[in-house]
């Protein structure tokens, strides 16, 4: 696709230097890329359009502006690209974004440190281990540490001065043996910190220090014939041995390594990451990545290597991969091992990636033959529709004795709620409780807008109500000139009857039918959505009527009080001094006098 004159002018002024480029549509960044030669790379999008796939052609058609940033090296471009993708989340870039915040184990920076789990990493001098992809694995490790070492869990400030003054008393944790009572100076700081050092080693993946400590203590106690104490140390040693036996120790000769493998199909890539520390796998993560522009495995894996190493805070200098990969980053060794322990490790990673791929593909195949498609086919047959109802819209009215009349429209796509397409309606042209006229108004407004915007119409419209409401919806469609372009039915609440326009007799669908269950679910969702909106309007109106009835108070003052105290009931409970502090002495007296008069007349309490 040839660039328009404006884009041609921008491209002609791009530099022949390394850096990143950003494509914009009319509103936002839609793609970020890196290049050794910015002008040459950007020009290739427009000069070689016959070589691009459909997704890339779609990207090019949406480009309205181009910006760039020059950097010194290809390595800088690679890192800047990754940073910008994470910051802006462009539509056409792949991105690791699962919304998770991973937990850490934290050794707090305080006297007599605590060992806790947290999702917030704060630069306060505390030592953090992780993050952990599996909260279960983290909790197992945390429980093991707590079973080995009696540590405090309280948040007291155990300064020497506070302890000397006897500010604190030992709690239940001390009495059941889970804490040594540093709050009453029952354990010295040196002994406590010795435990903390061993915990640091364990959390770093080195169990040797702790094992040697408990082994020495066990032998000492045995020599002194303190057999019960020796047995307790033996139990702790067994806990460490058992934990190490369950850990995936891949090799005693390997140190710190990151392992990545990838496999893919036409739509997705599946990546596995193993983080190896001191020869043991301490982290594992498998991910499914949706392809945006039919990216190659090399492009996807390069991006995932940087993102996952950042997520899991890896500083390993060696990376194992299953495909040839070049990253313009200094200090990294990237290899595709063929034999030995490293190859076994890579095979393990690839096995996990392949398992995820097989599982997802199997689920997708099953999904095609079940649920959504089957339900829509059944509905097409039951309702005698001309086409599959992939897009369904349902309307419902809500009012209370004619007050605050509102309506709702809910949308289902492929038999699932599409909440971003839900709409509320304030009734504008109808006075009083007239459901028929209200239905005519909202159907007219909805489809006039879709016609004006050129948006596709639904295959099926459901009206929550009987013949009257259905008739008014049909009249609205006829007045818009679109009656017959989609099916429209009404559902009556009492007997779950389905009415067709012009038919005197309703259709009764089997109560166990998936079609009826879906129609009921859609109708109930429309009703819920309308009622929720109606209640919010009614409650807001009730509050404002109650407080703004006060002569001499004014709307701004009423709004100020309601915004802060949320309800008239809470405002009633304020003292004269509290009201004076909020709105002044004269207005406080006016409001107190009003509340007093309301009470004397036994007026109902405000909502």
């Amino acid at each position: 696709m040839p660039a328009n004159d404006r884009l041609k002018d921008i491209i002609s002024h791009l530099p022949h230097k390394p850096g990143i480029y950003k494509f914009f549509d009319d509103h936002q960044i839609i793609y970020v890329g890196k290049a050794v030669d910015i002008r040459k790379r950007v020009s290739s999008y427009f000069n070689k359009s016959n070589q691009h796939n459909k997704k890339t052609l779609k990207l090019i058609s949406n480009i309205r502006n181009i910006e760039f940033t020059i950097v010194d090296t290809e390595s800088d471009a690679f890192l800047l690209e990754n940073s910008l993708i994470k910051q802006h989340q462009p539509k056409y870039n792949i991105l690791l974004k699962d919304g998770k915040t991973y937990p850490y184990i934290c050794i707090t920076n305080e006297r007599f440190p605590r060992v806790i789990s947290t999702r917030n990493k704060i630069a306060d001098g505390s030592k953090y281990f992780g993050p952990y992809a599996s909260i279960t694995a983290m909790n197992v490790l945390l429980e093991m540490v707590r079973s080995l070492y009696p540590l405090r869990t309280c948040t007291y400030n155990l300064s020497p001065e506070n302890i000397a003054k006897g500010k604190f008393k030992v709690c239940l944790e001390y009495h059941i043996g889970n804490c040594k009572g540093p709050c009453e100076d029952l354990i010295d700081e040196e002994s406590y910190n010795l435990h903390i050092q061993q915990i640091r080693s364990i959390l770093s993946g080195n169990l040797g220090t702790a094992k040697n400590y408990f082994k020495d203590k066990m032998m000492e106690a045995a020599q002194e014939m303190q057999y019960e104490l020796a047995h307790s140390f033996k139990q702790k040693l067994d806990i460490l041995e058992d934990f190490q036996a369950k850990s995936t120790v891949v090799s005693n000769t390997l140190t710190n390594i990151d392992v990545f493998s990838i496999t893919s199909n036409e739509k997705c890539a599946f990546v596995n990451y193993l983080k190896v520390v001191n020869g043991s796998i301490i982290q594992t993560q498998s991910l499914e990545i949706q392809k945006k522009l039919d990216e190659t495995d090399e492009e996807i894996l390069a991006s995932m290597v940087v993102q996952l190493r950042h997520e899991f805070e890896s500083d390993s200098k060696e990376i194992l991969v299953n495909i040839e990969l070049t990253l313009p980053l200094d200090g990294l060794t990237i290899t595709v091992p063929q034999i030995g322990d490293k190859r076994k490790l890579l095979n393990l990673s690839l096995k996990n990636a392949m398992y995820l791929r097989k599982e997802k593909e199997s689920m997708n195949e099953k999904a095609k033959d079940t649920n959504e498609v089957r339900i829509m086919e059944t509905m097409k047959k039951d309702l005698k529709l001309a086409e599959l109802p992939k897009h369904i819209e349902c309307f419902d009215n809500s009012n209370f004795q004619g007050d605050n009349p509102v309506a709702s429209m809910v949308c289902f796509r492929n038999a699932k709620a599409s909440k971003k397409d839900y709409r509320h309606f304030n009734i504008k042209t109808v006075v009083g409780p007239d459901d028929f006229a209200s239905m005519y108004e909202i159907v007219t407004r909805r489809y006039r807008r879709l016609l004006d915007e050129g948006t596709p119409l639904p295959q099926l419209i459901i009206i929550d109500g009987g013949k009257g409401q259905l008739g008014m919806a049909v009249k609205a469609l006829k007045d818009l000139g679109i009656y017959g372009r989609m099916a429209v039915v009404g559902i009556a609440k009492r007997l779950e009857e389905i009415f067709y326009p012009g038919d005197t007799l309703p259709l009764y669908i089997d109560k166990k039918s998936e079609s009826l269950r879906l129609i009921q679910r859609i109708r109930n969702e429309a009703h819920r959505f309308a009622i929720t909106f109606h209640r919010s309007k009614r409650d807001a109106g009730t509050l404002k009527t109650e407080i703004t009835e006060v002569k001499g108070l004014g709307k701004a003052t009423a709004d100020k009080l309601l915004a802060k105290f949320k309800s008239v009931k809470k405002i009633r409970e304020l003292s004269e001094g509290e009201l004076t502090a909020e709105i002044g002495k004269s207005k406080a007296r006016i409001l107190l006098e009003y509340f007093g008069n309301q009470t004397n007349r036994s007026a109902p309490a405000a909502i």
Side-chain angles (χ1 to χ4, degrees):
M1 177 183 291
N4 59 34
D5 292 340
R6 183 168 178 275
L7 291 179
K8 284 181 178 179
D9 183 60
I10 293 174
I11 293 170
S12 67
H13 289 87
L14 293 175
H16 291 288
K17 293 182 179 295
I20 59 95
Y21 55 91
K22 295 178 283 187
F23 292 156
F24 293 79
D25 62 9
D26 292 323
H27 309 289
Q28 60 192 352
I29 296 176
I30 58 174
Y31 185 75
V32 175
K34 64 181 180 302
V36 177
D37 185 315
I38 296 175
R39 188 193 297 186
K40 186 176 179 180
R41 180 69 184 99
V42 173
S43 297
S44 70
Y45 284 94
F46 301 94
N47 297 336
K48 300 178 181 179
S49 59
N50 61 331
Q51 300 178 14
H52 298 315
N53 57 53
K54 290 182 180 179
K55 293 179 181 178
T56 305
L57 291 174
K58 180 68 173 176
L59 162 66
I60 296 169
S61 69
N62 289 326
I63 298 173
R64 299 292 179 268
N65 192 21
I66 303 170
E67 293 182 2
F68 66 91
T69 302
I70 298 172
V71 296
D72 293 328
T73 65
E74 186 182 358
S75 173
D76 293 336
F78 186 84
L79 294 173
L80 179 57
E81 176 200 37
N82 192 269
S83 175
L84 289 173
I85 290 172
K86 193 167 186 178
Q87 178 184 350
H88 297 288
Q89 302 182 11
K91 179 179 179 181
Y92 291 96
N93 285 104
I94 60 168
L95 179 67
L96 173 62
K97 50 175 183 179
D98 55 12
K100 292 180 180 176
T101 56
Y102 295 107
Y104 295 83
I105 293 178
C106 171
I107 299 179
T108 59
N109 180 29
E110 58 187 332
R111 194 163 181 260
F112 298 104
R114 292 169 293 134
V115 180
I116 59 174
S117 63
T118 180
R119 291 181 184 269
N120 299 316
K121 191 175 182 182
I122 305 170
D124 60 354
S126 298
K127 178 65 176 177
Y128 293 85
F129 298 87
Y132 294 90
S134 168
I135 192 168
T136 302
M138 182 202 71
N139 286 333
V140 167
L141 188 55
L142 202 56
E143 287 301 315
M144 183 192 73
V145 166
R146 289 171 176 167
S147 67
L148 293 173
Y149 302 98
L151 302 173
R152 75 175 177 118
T153 57
C154 64
T155 58
Y156 297 143
N157 176 11
L158 301 186
S159 66
E161 295 79 14
N162 288 342
I163 293 175
K165 292 177 182 178
K167 282 192 172 184
F168 313 114
K169 297 294 182 182
V170 292
C171 62
L172 179 62
E173 291 293 305
Y174 171 80
H175 293 293
I176 63 177
N178 291 339
C179 176
K180 289 295 185 179
C183 58
E184 287 195 31
D185 204 21
L186 299 179
I187 181 174
D188 61 275
E189 193 172 358
E190 183 179 352
S191 299
Y192 192 97
N193 287 339
L194 178 61
H195 293 167
I196 294 297
Q197 290 173 11
Q198 292 176 20
I199 292 170
R200 283 174 176 257
S201 296
I202 292 172
L203 296 179
S204 299
N206 179 15
L207 274 63
T209 302
K211 286 171 65 177
N212 291 335
Y213 171 79
F214 288 121
K215 190 173 182 179
D216 291 343
K217 286 291 185 180
M218 179 184 68
M219 297 302 293
E220 287 178 12
Q223 289 175 1
E224 296 175 3
M225 293 185 290
Q226 297 180 5
Y227 299 117
E228 289 187 6
L229 182 59
H231 179 67
S232 69
F233 286 124
K234 176 66 166 59
Q235 287 180 317
K236 294 180 186 292
L237 187 59
D238 288 343
I239 290 172
L240 284 170
E241 295 280 6
D242 184 57
F243 178 80
Q244 189 170 39
K246 291 179 181 177
S247 300
T248 306
V249 180
V250 290
S251 173
N252 293 326
T253 60
L254 300 179
T255 53
N256 298 344
I257 299 175
D258 285 334
V259 187
F260 293 89
S261 61
I262 185 170
T263 180
S264 66
N265 56 31
E266 292 182 358
K267 296 182 178 180
C268 301
F270 305 89
V271 174
N272 175 261
Y273 168 53
L274 304 178
K275 183 177 181 181
V276 180
V277 175
N278 295 324
S280 297
I281 298 172
I282 66 167
Q283 297 283 2
T284 177
Q285 183 76 306
S286 294
L287 301 164
E288 178 186 14
I289 298 102
Q290 298 289 331
K291 294 183 179 180
K292 299 295 183 68
L293 299 174
D294 292 337
E295 296 87 351
T296 65
D297 284 358
E298 290 78 7
E299 291 172 326
I300 294 172
L301 190 58
S303 176
M304 290 299 105
V305 166
V306 175
Q307 292 189 49
L308 286 167
R309 280 171 59 87
H310 173 75
E311 287 280 348
F312 293 99
E313 302 179 9
S314 173
D315 56 4
S316 170
K317 301 302 180 184
E318 185 175 6
I319 297 175
L320 307 183
V321 291
N322 67 318
I323 59 174
E324 293 292 340
L325 189 67
T326 301
L327 292 180
L329 301 177
D330 297 332
L332 284 180
T333 302
I334 303 174
T335 57
V336 182
Q338 302 300 318
I339 59 173
D341 289 338
K342 292 182 180 180
R343 183 64 206 185
K344 291 178 182 178
L345 193 55
L346 181 60
N347 287 341
L348 178 62
S349 175
L350 187 57
K351 183 178 180 180
N352 279 275
M354 292 296 294
Y355 179 82
L356 178 63
R357 175 179 175 175
K358 183 178 179 181
E359 185 180 40
K360 292 291 185 180
E361 289 177 343
S362 176
M363 290 172 60
N364 291 338
E365 286 298 320
K366 289 178 182 178
K368 291 179 182 178
D369 300 326
T370 57
N371 295 338
E372 296 87 5
V373 174
R374 186 190 67 249
I375 293 171
M376 289 186 291
E377 289 284 1
T378 305
M379 180 177 284
K380 179 184 175 183
K381 179 181 177 182
D382 288 345
L383 298 182
K384 300 176 177 61
L385 304 177
E387 55 185 328
L388 207 64
K390 295 181 178 179
H391 177 183
I392 304 172
E393 294 187 350
C394 179
F395 295 84
D396 185 32
N397 293 320
S398 178
N399 67 75
F400 181 72
Q401 296 179 349
D403 293 331
N404 300 312
V406 297
S408 72
M409 185 283 294
V410 299
C411 176
F412 274 57
R413 296 183 185 273
N414 296 320
K416 291 183 177 179
S418 178
K419 294 192 176 182
K420 66 183 178 64
D421 295 317
Y422 284 18
R423 295 294 182 269
H424 282 135
F425 296 89
N426 289 303
I427 304 302
K428 299 179 179 179
T429 63
V430 181
V431 178
D434 189 341
D435 284 348
F436 297 157
S438 297
M439 185 62 69
Y440 178 87
E441 176 187 327
I442 62 175
V443 172
T444 300
R445 286 167 56 189
R446 170 62 178 169
Y447 295 115
R448 180 182 289 136
R449 177 161 188 171
L450 293 191
L451 291 171
D452 292 342
E453 294 175 348
T455 305
L457 298 171
Q459 286 87 35
L460 175 64
I461 299 172
I462 299 173
I463 303 300
D464 184 13
K467 293 180 181 179
Q469 286 94 334
L470 177 61
M472 295 306 290
V474 169
K475 184 177 185 303
L477 296 176
K478 286 181 177 179
D479 290 347
L480 291 171
I482 59 173
Y483 181 65
R485 291 171 60 179
M486 74 283 281
V488 55
V489 299
I491 178 169
K493 293 182 176 67
R494 183 184 298 178
L495 299 175
E496 305 292 15
E497 303 160 310
I498 306 297
F499 287 94
Y500 286 86
D503 283 359
T504 56
L505 297 176
L507 171 70
Y508 292 96
I509 300 178
D510 186 344
K511 301 298 182 185
K512 297 180 180 179
S513 167
E514 288 182 316
S515 297
L516 182 60
R517 286 205 296 268
L518 177 58
I519 292 171
Q520 289 170 330
R521 185 155 60 94
I522 294 172
R523 187 270 315 279
N524 294 341
E525 180 68 350
H527 187 63
R528 179 201 65 78
F529 197 54
I531 288 293
T532 302
F533 183 44
H534 179 260
R535 284 174 178 167
S536 67
K537 286 199 65 178
R538 185 187 64 195
D539 292 348
T542 302
L543 283 173
K544 290 197 171 184
T545 299
E546 171 73 4
I547 194 70
T548 54
E549 282 181 349
V550 184
K551 292 182 180 180
L553 193 62
K555 185 177 183 301
T557 304
D559 289 345
K560 178 183 175 182
L561 289 171
L562 286 169
K564 182 167 184 179
F565 298 104
K566 308 302 180 186
S567 72
V568 177
K569 180 180 178 182
K570 290 183 179 179
I571 296 173
R572 281 178 179 274
E573 295 170 353
L574 298 176
S575 66
E576 182 176 356
E578 290 171 326
L579 277 173
T580 300
E582 294 294 335
I583 58 176
K585 190 172 183 179
S586 60
K587 290 181 180 179
R589 287 182 175 176
I590 291 172
L591 189 56
L592 288 170
E593 183 179 350
Y594 168 78
F595 285 148
N597 291 336
Q598 291 292 95
T599 302
N600 292 335
R601 291 198 300 267
S602 300
I607 294 175

